[in-house]
Amino acid sequence: MSIYIGGPDRLSWEGARAKVRGDLWRPGNSLPDDVVDRALHASVLDIEGECKWTWLEELTAIVTLDEDAEFIDLPPTIGRVSSVAVRRDAFLDGLDEVTLAAVRANLSPDIGDPSRWAMANGRIAIDSRAQAGTIFEIIVSSTTPEVLEDALASPAVTLQLQQQAVIANACHHVALSFMKNADEAARQRAIYERIVERLLNVEAEKHGGMIQADTWGMGCGR
């Protein structure tokens, strides 16, 4: 099963590591992977915690089944599911959200056309066994797992959408904790804070000017 969220230039953890090392003038392996990974993870959680960002809501996940299935497994980066639809030729056919009991009540082992769905322990249960190759479009919100290993397995959408801020703040974490370079840490943090201030101003406009950037996320859709 393949799941695609976001644009074509999605940044991998390996690519993010290289950018952190490059921005800190430490190319190659002079900065251990674990140090950089923990810094990137902390940075993503930092920015996601600043505000309930609109760019993490109402994202489209494209799911293609690799084999016949009655469940759609979701990565830990998906928080909430708003709707599920299946592609039928050139059209999208929305599925009805019902209880899990209703989905499972009349499930057949034969291949069919799903019409209803329900959440089931982090997976989407559908009421008919869908054929391999079936494509679903799912409207979701995104969140980064608190556990580093889970985040590594499923790169955060935030890493792609806010790459510059994430990299700068990760450099801040590495410079402060590993390199013991307070000046570089402050320089990188200043870059991050300027970006977040701009993003908060954008959110304020979307919410009718109710958010002040210098409150660092107070309000901000919460």
Side-chain angles (χ1 to χ4, degrees):
M1 182 180 300
S2 58
I3 297 182
Y4 174 80
I5 305 175
D9 298 324
R10 186 163 186 169
L11 182 65
S12 66
W13 276 101
E14 291 77 9
R17 285 177 191 151
K19 287 180 179 293
V20 169
R21 289 172 171 134
D23 286 358
L24 291 174
W25 305 283
R26 295 290 187 90
N29 296 319
S30 56
L31 295 175
D33 284 353
D34 180 63
V35 169
V36 181
D37 288 344
R38 285 187 282 112
L40 284 166
H41 186 227
S43 181
V44 170
L45 293 178
D46 282 348
I47 192 170
E48 289 184 3
E50 301 280 6
C51 178
K52 186 178 179 181
W53 302 105
T54 55
W55 41 265
L56 286 177
E57 302 289 324
E58 301 299 308
L59 298 170
T60 300
I62 309 298
V63 180
T64 304
L65 297 184
D66 295 330
E67 56 186 21
D68 302 345
E70 59 198 53
F71 288 96
I72 301 172
D73 292 314
L74 301 175
T77 49
I78 290 181
R80 175 178 51 81
V81 176
S82 300
S83 68
V84 179
V86 63
R87 283 188 185 173
R88 304 190 194 282
D89 297 323
F91 302 96
L92 277 178
D93 191 359
L95 278 59
D96 295 326
E97 183 179 9
V98 297
T99 65
L100 180 59
V103 165
R104 306 305 289 171
N106 298 309
L107 182 66
S108 169
D110 299 326
I111 298 296
D113 292 323
S115 62
R116 300 184 297 176
W117 69 278
M119 289 301 299
N121 297 321
R123 301 194 294 175
I124 296 173
I126 50 179
D127 65 350
S128 296
R129 191 169 180 82
Q131 188 173 23
T134 300
I135 299 175
F136 293 88
E137 289 196 15
I138 307 170
I139 305 301
V140 302
S141 64
S142 178
T143 185
T144 297
E146 292 285 341
V147 177
L148 174 59
E149 288 73 18
D150 290 339
L152 289 172
S154 301
V157 172
T158 299
L159 185 60
Q160 175 191 2
L161 298 178
Q162 304 300 337
Q163 179 184 141
Q164 186 178 3
V166 171
I167 297 302
N169 197 30
C171 289
H172 155 78
H173 284 294
V174 173
L176 191 63
S177 63
F178 185 79
M179 296 171 59
K180 311 301 182 186
N181 186 333
D183 290 341
E184 181 62 20
R187 188 181 76 85
Q188 295 289 350
R189 182 68 182 188
I191 295 171
Y192 167 78
E193 290 181 354
R194 285 196 299 271
I195 297 170
V196 171
E197 182 176 8
R198 174 178 56 79
L199 293 174
L200 286 171
N201 285 332
V202 172
E203 293 291 331
E205 293 176 2
K206 292 178 180 177
H207 291 280
M210 297 298 292
I211 304 165
Q212 297 297 320
D214 62 0
T215 63
W216 288 99
M218 295 300 291
C220 197
R222 294 185 183 277

